[in-house]
Amino acid sequence: MKTLQVALEDRSYDIVIGQGIISQAAEYILKVCKPQRIMVVTDTTVASLHLPALQASLAATGLPVQVVSFAPGEGSKSLKSVEKLYTEAFAFGMTRTDLVIALGGGVIGDLTGFFAATLLRGVPFVQIPTTLLSQVDSSVGGKTGVNVPAGKNLVGSFYQPKLVLIDTDTLQTLSDAIFSDGMAEVIKYGCIVSEKLFEALLQAGSRRGVEAMLEDVIYACCDAKRQVVEEDELDTGRRMILNFGHTMGHVIEKAYNFQKYTHGQAVAYGMILAARLGEKLSVTAEGTAERITEILEKYHLPTDISLTGDWQKTILLDKKMQGKDLSCVLISKLGTSIVHKMPAEEFVTEIESIL
Ligand code: GLY
């Protein structure tokens, strides 16, 4: 069992990482809040796998528990789902001192966080992430939100959870493809803040290798994210480094209509492109793109994706655009990242030359 504290003054909270921790959820939760009723938001797949253990733990509190399940997938991250949650919450009698729990991956965490942030102008919530990607990234740091027709994550708020409970046992139920998807974000932390983590992952070389040191790997990623969030909670500067590989990653996801490549797969190739761009601009040490390619291959992530159509326009919608300039996240070497501002037009020309 490992614990980390995200120190954000009155919004501080613990991240507890351990095997089978869902079955002790109530114990940890009652240390940080004293609700009269609890709403659990999940999806139908996660509900069938992990809800019984959570319910068994919550039953010991004697409090009324209401479960709301959505269909798995990005389609549930919508304002329609938030509206359904408001209706359920008012029917259940939720008040400002009650509790909302997100049990699931990134979609459920983001949706539930946004719901909790806006219900009665803010109700405490706890994240219990069940995918690798949500355990190392989206459950920590307070970014919540939903998708709207204009784009992904365009409506949301910063709203920190009261607690993050990471049960590493939940990862056993993930398919290899979903595990690999999360590995892209794990490898990202190695690239941006920890050469030591990068080397350890390279040496582990496979899902089984990572599983042998899972708690340490998740701890290292959450610790890296904690430091960045503490420095820049509202994403106005340093937090941008968490977007390494994401500018071209989003372009790829959009170019394929969010159908062909998962977020992690798209970010994987995005990281290679960011490293190649950095090398071309003499910002990144030579050979870095090659090393990133090597590690991604070990985790069955794509290292070449063809881009056609007018993908260039997507760059202009990037949240890191400021006027005509784009803030690109580059690495000077493995484990050291920088934000490099350049005209978006030049970025596009350079990327076209290295595709
Ligand atoms: N996932 C990027 C961030 O939390 O800032």
Side-chain angles (χ1 to χ4, degrees):
M1 198 80 71
K2 290 182 187 292
T3 303
L4 275 162
Q5 199 203 36
V6 184
L8 293 171
E9 297 170 359
D10 60 343
R11 297 171 313 292
S12 299
Y13 55 97
D14 283 350
I15 303 168
V16 188
I17 306 161
Q19 277 187 279
I21 206 167
I22 288 183
S23 52
Q24 298 159 52
E27 238 171 85
Y28 285 100
I29 287 169
L30 292 182
K31 283 185 199 154
V32 297
C33 56
K34 298 276 175 270
Q36 293 299 302
R37 47 179 60 69
I38 300 172
M39 250 181 106
V40 177
V41 183
T42 188
D43 72 39
T44 49
T45 304
V46 174
S48 66
L49 297 167
H50 308 301
L51 186 60
L54 178 61
Q55 279 181 314
S57 173
L58 297 178
T61 65
L63 296 171
V65 176
Q66 166 94 338
V67 178
V68 184
S69 281
F70 289 93
E74 202 67 32
S76 291
K77 204 168 127 178
S78 66
L79 286 169
K80 199 167 154 231
S81 300
V82 181
E83 211 175 336
K84 175 178 161 68
L85 286 168
Y86 293 144
T87 306
E88 297 274 355
F90 293 125
F92 185 46
M94 289 286 284
T95 69
R96 269 186 173 174
T97 51
D98 293 327
L99 175 71
V100 176
I101 299 177
L103 175 71
V107 165
I108 289 298
D110 288 5
L111 163 71
T112 309
F114 183 64
F115 158 65
T118 49
L119 179 70
L120 301 168
R121 297 202 179 89
V123 168
F125 95 111
V126 166
Q127 288 267 23
I128 307 184
T130 56
T131 60
L132 183 56
L133 196 142
S134 59
Q135 294 188 349
V136 299
D137 186 25
S138 58
S139 65
V140 176
K143 277 192 184 173
T144 74
V146 293
N147 305 325
V148 289
K152 278 181 80 174
N153 295 328
L154 291 184
V155 172
S157 69
F158 287 95
Y159 190 64
Q160 301 294 342
K162 292 284 175 220
L163 176 70
V164 181
L165 288 179
I166 298 179
D167 186 337
T168 52
D169 279 350
T170 60
L171 304 187
Q172 287 170 12
T173 58
L174 299 183
S175 66
D176 285 342
I178 302 292
F179 192 88
S180 277
D181 186 48
M183 278 307 298
E185 295 285 350
V186 174
I187 292 165
K188 178 196 77 180
Y189 286 108
C191 294
I192 59 172
V193 291
S194 172
E195 188 172 8
K196 192 172 153 221
L197 175 64
F198 187 93
E199 294 298 344
L201 297 171
L202 196 58
Q203 205 170 342
S206 66
R207 175 174 182 170
R208 192 176 293 185
V210 170
E211 280 172 343
M213 50 182 200
L214 204 48
E215 247 180 61
D216 291 333
V217 167
I218 293 173
Y219 181 93
C221 296
C222 289
D223 195 31
K225 181 139 190 193
R226 169 195 73 74
Q227 288 177 39
V228 174
V229 169
E230 283 175 359
E231 203 177 307
D232 178 24
E233 183 184 2
L234 301 182
D235 202 12
T236 56
R238 175 126 178 107
R239 190 162 174 169
M240 276 184 216
I241 67 163
L242 298 174
N243 284 315
F244 179 60
H246 282 58
T247 296
M248 287 309 294
H250 286 151
V251 167
I252 292 161
E253 281 184 282
K254 184 124 201 283
Y256 286 91
N257 222 0
F258 299 94
Q259 302 292 324
K260 184 160 180 189
Y261 294 102
T262 63
H263 179 70
Q265 288 175 324
V267 165
Y269 188 51
M271 291 193 288
I272 293 176
L273 290 177
R276 277 190 204 151
L277 172 67
E279 287 185 36
K280 186 138 191 275
L281 298 174
S282 301
V283 170
T284 304
E286 262 183 50
T288 306
E290 211 171 302
R291 300 213 64 212
I292 295 177
T293 304
E294 184 192 353
I295 197 168
L296 294 173
E297 277 169 355
K298 284 188 187 279
Y299 290 95
H300 310 292
L301 285 158
T303 54
D304 194 13
I305 292 177
S306 73
L307 258 179
T308 48
D310 59 353
W311 58 267
Q312 294 85 348
K313 283 192 192 132
T314 310
I315 305 285
L316 304 176
L317 295 172
D318 194 285
K319 290 196 199 77
K320 294 181 294 308
M321 280 294 293
Q322 287 172 328
K324 289 188 159 75
D325 291 335
L326 177 69
S327 296
C328 312
V329 183
L330 301 177
I331 51 179
S332 51
K333 63 184 187 63
L334 286 170
T336 311
S337 41
I338 50 164
V339 179
H340 178 90
K341 216 178 205 188
M342 66 193 287
E345 228 171 86
E346 192 185 321
F347 175 85
V348 167
T349 309
E350 294 289 1
I351 291 288
E352 280 170 337
S353 74
I354 54 172
L355 276 175

